[in-house]
Amino acid sequence: KQTYCDRLVQDTPFLMGHGRLSEQQVDRIILQLNRYYPQILSNKDAEKFRNPKASLRVRLCDLLGHLQRSGERDCQEFYRALYIHAQPLHSRLPSRLALQNSDCTELDSGTVGRELSDR
């Protein structure tokens, strides 16, 4: 089963794509993680990832790397924040499309009921 950390590794190139996430969206995601989960993003981390001197791309790359290293729950909370602040983008994530495609192929095999109850 794909973990949130696996998904983040898979989605990082997509999220880093030019113009995918605006500065405001990235700031809101950072603020949400920092405010609700200071153990995921400390104030110092949040300041670093919101540093206006660094380019958005560098900050986003650092943030995603930080989350990948910090574990499953942190990655899951990132996806929750992404869903809240960038829902259209969230629905186009490569990992989500892969999940949807794998759900479609499993419809025939009868595993879909079991999959839904696991979620």
Side-chain angles (χ1 to χ4, degrees):
K1 194 173 184 187
Q2 198 181 31
T3 66
Y4 282 98
C5 290
D6 294 339
R7 286 182 60 189
L8 191 56
V9 170
Q10 185 183 349
D11 290 334
T12 291
F14 175 81
L15 290 167
M16 295 293 299
H18 182 69
R20 292 266 160 75
L21 280 168
S22 72
E23 196 133 356
Q24 289 88 348
Q25 287 171 318
V26 172
D27 280 350
R28 285 190 201 119
I29 289 167
I30 291 168
L31 286 172
Q32 180 176 335
L33 291 173
N34 172 238
R35 190 171 299 137
Y36 296 106
Y37 305 99
Q39 64 276 28
I40 294 177
L41 277 191
S42 67
N43 289 339
K44 196 174 147 209
D45 289 333
E47 274 172 37
K48 183 176 84 179
F49 297 133
R50 295 184 72 218
N51 175 5
K53 290 191 189 89
S55 76
L56 179 61
R57 192 179 166 80
V58 167
R59 290 185 284 147
L60 186 57
C61 188
D62 290 348
L63 172 67
L64 298 175
H66 171 84
L67 291 168
Q68 286 170 19
R69 288 187 299 275
S70 55
E72 182 63 6
R73 206 202 56 190
D74 297 11
C75 291
Q76 185 175 3
E77 291 309 329
F78 168 78
Y79 277 102
R80 182 171 292 149
L82 187 65
Y83 179 77
I84 292 167
H85 299 294
Q87 199 166 0
L89 184 72
H90 183 273
S91 64
R92 299 199 324 267
L93 290 169
S95 66
R96 280 187 59 84
L97 299 174
L99 284 171
Q100 287 165 358
N101 291 341
S102 70
D103 286 353
C104 291
T105 55
E106 284 168 4
L107 279 173
D108 305 333
S109 58
T111 56
V112 90
R114 210 170 40 247
E115 268 230 333
L116 289 174
S117 64
D118 286 349
R119 289 184 190 147

